[in-house]
Amino acid sequence: IAGITQAPTSQILAAGRRMTLRCTQDMRHNAMYWYRQDLGLGLRLIHYSNTAGTTGKGEVPDGYSVSRANTDDFPLTLASAVPSQTSVYFCASSDPGTGNEQFFGPGTRLTVL
Amino acid sequence: GQSLEQPSEVTAVEGAIVQINCTYQTSGFYGLSWYQQHDGGAPTFLSYNALDGLEETGRFSSFLSRSDSYGYLLLQELQMKDSASYFCAPYSGGYQKVTFGTGTKLQVIP
């Protein structure tokens, strides 16, 4: 693989179900991010990780959790999905010290019914 | 607090020049990034201005005035493929200090 991959590409989920969005990068970037993008609201940061073993909360973290067991993987989990979590989710990564230039995955389109 | 303003939509003719403005207010400002996103696609990095002035990359140029908290993206010789959304993203240092606004949707017409 090259760059960042996300899975699944799209998903329809019943409210109340648990869901994990996967993100893997092969660029050995220390920093990784999860954003959600909603029409009219732009990109909003959910969680981030500066390096393996550390995570932090972004602008809209409620209802989401992340883990960073290694450099390459940064999964996002919705413990109990709600319709307001219907969105397009993007994973991104950046080099150490260059958070201004982020590389984005193709996105996951999630619909919660 | 933080704020970010860009026009929501801009329409321009193929072959013309268009300028997309961005005003921002953020603490600990380092520089201004620009990203492009085509419909259904992922954002891709275009440019970054750490210093005042104009940075040119092919048909695209980006300008920053730190004293005015203002920047713009200039697209020359517009092509139909330039139809996309463009986001200015102030960078405040560290890994998590990038703010994306709602972006400007550029439509290039024949």
Side-chain angles (χ1 to χ4, degrees):
Chain A
I1 57 174
I4 299 181
T5 59
Q6 292 184 236
T9 302
S10 65
Q11 181 76 44
I12 299 174
L13 189 66
R17 297 296 295 268
R18 180 184 180 90
M19 176 74 192
T20 295
L21 307 185
R22 300 185 298 279
C23 174
T24 299
Q25 55 107 355
D26 66 354
M27 296 177 284
R28 309 303 295 172
H29 286 168
N30 279 355
M32 297 187 75
Y33 316 81
W34 274 105
Y35 293 91
R36 60 177 291 175
Q37 186 172 35
D38 304 289
L39 197 63
L41 293 177
L43 284 158
R44 293 181 293 169
L45 182 66
I46 304 171
H47 284 287
Y48 65 92
S49 170
N50 289 346
T51 189
T54 69
T55 63
K57 294 181 179 180
E59 181 184 355
V60 288
D62 294 343
Y64 305 95
S65 64
V66 292
S67 62
R68 187 86 184 276
N70 56 60
T71 298
D72 298 344
D73 301 299
F74 191 42
L76 176 74
T77 297
L78 289 69
S80 179
V82 294
S84 61
Q85 292 178 311
T86 293
S87 186
V88 179
Y89 291 86
F90 288 101
C91 179
S93 71
S94 68
D95 262 334
T98 57
N100 59 294
E101 180 178 356
Q102 297 184 14
F103 297 83
F104 284 79
T108 293
R109 184 173 295 275
L110 181 67
T111 302
V112 182
L113 302 176
Chain B
Q2 295 194 26
S3 67
L4 190 59
E5 288 190 20
Q6 292 180 244
S8 57
E9 294 182 0
V10 173
T11 300
V13 178
E14 189 177 15
I17 299 172
V18 71
Q19 179 174 311
I20 299 173
N21 297 320
C22 170
T23 57
Y24 59 86
Q25 181 178 336
T26 184
S27 57
F29 179 78
Y30 276 42
L32 189 67
S33 297
W34 287 90
Y35 288 78
Q36 178 192 59
Q37 184 180 28
H38 288 98
D39 282 349
T44 57
F45 174 82
L46 287 177
S47 66
Y48 176 67
N49 292 65
L51 304 175
D52 284 358
L54 194 67
E55 294 278 346
E56 298 183 43
T57 308
R59 295 187 297 112
F60 292 6
S61 303
S62 55
F63 172 84
L64 176 65
S65 169
R66 300 172 71 97
S67 60
D68 295 323
S69 297
Y70 165 75
Y72 65 73
L73 182 68
L74 191 73
L75 295 81
Q76 303 182 73
E77 301 173 16
L78 280 172
Q79 302 176 8
M80 298 301 290
K81 68 178 182 180
D82 297 329
S83 293
S85 292
Y86 293 85
F87 295 86
C88 66
Y91 175 58
S92 301
Y95 291 114
Q96 69 276 21
K97 303 294 186 182
V98 175
T99 303
F100 290 90
T102 55
T104 298
K105 189 172 180 65
L106 171 66
Q107 182 182 12
V108 180
I109 59 176

